[in-house]
Amino acid sequence: MIGADRRGRAAVAVVLHQFRYSHYNDKARWALAWKGVRHERVSHLPGPHGPAIERLSGQRQTPVLVWDGEVIAGSGRIVDAVEARVAGRPLLPADAVARAAVDGWRREFDDTVGPAVRTVVFAAMIDHGGYLCRLFAEGRPVLTRAAYRAIFPLARGRIARANGVTDPDNVRRCAAVVEAAMARVADATAATGQLVGDAFTAADLTAAALLAPLVNPPHADMNRPRPMPPALDELVARWQSHAAGRWVADQYARHRPGG
Ligand SMILES: N[C@@H](CCC(=O)N[C@@H](CS)C(=O)NCC(=O)O)C(=O)O
């Protein structure tokens, strides 16, 4: 746990506004864990989250980090902010060539692979409202869970559109993006076990977190409860046995502090 920030202050007030089990959110959780930043988490329910996140950050997506009153929206900006504020255990290499390679992996995963993974995973669970509600409302009072489940059928269409699962061609296109990304990761990590050089960087953190929904790694933040919907079970079984799936699980085991 961190005792002081770069400016030497003893206590830092850090709050992460998040969705449970969400892969972009897990990038932020991972950066905070990697640097040992003590923080509070506020879990929002997808759907009803909009007004509160918009009031806080001027946009509607999670994760949003509040660090000593400064509001930082977006997982990439959060990783950079944590890196800039906390010395030690660097996530960004000092060497310019390595840094450009890390930035390239981050861009590709943030812009292309992350959304494709989300579409493929949502396609496997969109017709299982009870399971989706259980995931996102875990830990909430029973009345909140019941109310969330009751309104889900009304929100289903919007959730399906927002996650790109209404068009079967788009789901197929996203599955192809996932296939290509898994092949590239398996290939790129074969030599050293890491994407750039032989040390864990923001490239590994980004790729592993954004691929995690395919693999259900054994970490409390991303290990979805079972039983899962059958199509999701099949998807996870398939990717867990792929070399890139094993790499994701290994990154969580070796480089993700806490359990
Ligand atoms: N580019 C953003 C993407 C974040 C994102 O897609 N967040 C999703 C959850 S994984 C979200 O908040 N969706 C709700 C919405 O768009 O209203 C980042 O890197 O943080």
Side-chain angles (χ1 to χ4, degrees), residues 104-193:
W105 281 104
R106 294 178 74 188
R107 236 183 344 264
E108 180 192 342
F109 271 76
D110 282 342
D111 297 349
T112 308
V113 182
V117 168
R118 180 166 47 206
T119 294
V120 166
V121 168
F122 264 87
M125 58 183 185
I126 189 69
D127 290 324
H128 298 265
Y131 186 75
L132 269 172
C133 292
R134 181 178 165 205
L135 273 190
F136 293 127
E138 198 176 65
R140 293 303 185 99
V142 67
L143 277 179
T144 308
R145 293 204 307 270
Y148 193 47
R149 181 69 188 97
I151 62 161
F152 184 79
L154 302 174
R156 186 202 174 280
R158 197 162 42 78
I159 292 173
R161 277 190 301 281
N163 290 291
V165 304
T166 47
D167 173 7
D169 282 344
N170 186 53
V171 177
R172 277 191 288 275
R173 189 192 61 76
C174 290
V177 169
V178 165
E179 297 258 356
M182 292 297 267
R184 277 197 67 207
V185 165
D187 194 43
T189 57
T192 67

Side-chain angles (χ1 to χ4, degrees), residues 63-117:
V64 175
L65 187 70
V66 182
W67 188 310
D68 270 356
E70 185 182 344
V71 178
I72 305 154
S75 62
R77 291 186 60 221
I78 291 171
V79 171
D80 290 342
V82 172
E83 172 78 352
R85 282 168 168 76
V86 185
R89 291 167 69 75
L91 286 165
L92 297 173
D95 173 74
V97 174
R99 174 62 192 269
V102 167
D103 290 345
W105 281 104
R106 294 178 74 188
R107 236 183 344 264
E108 180 192 342
F109 271 76
D110 282 342
D111 297 349
T112 308
V113 182
V117 168

Side-chain angles (χ1 to χ4, degrees), residues 19 22-25 27 49 60-63 74-76 110 118:
F19 289 169
S22 149
H23 59 346
Y24 282 101
N25 284 269
K27 286 175 57 192
H49 75 286
R60 295 173 79 90
Q61 292 192 318
T62 62
S75 62
D110 282 342
R118 180 166 47 206

Side-chain angles (χ1 to χ4, degrees), residues 33-44:
W34 175 256
K35 294 279 193 170
V37 179
R38 194 175 326 152
H39 62 283
E40 282 170 40
R41 292 179 183 177
V42 178
S43 295
H44 294 259

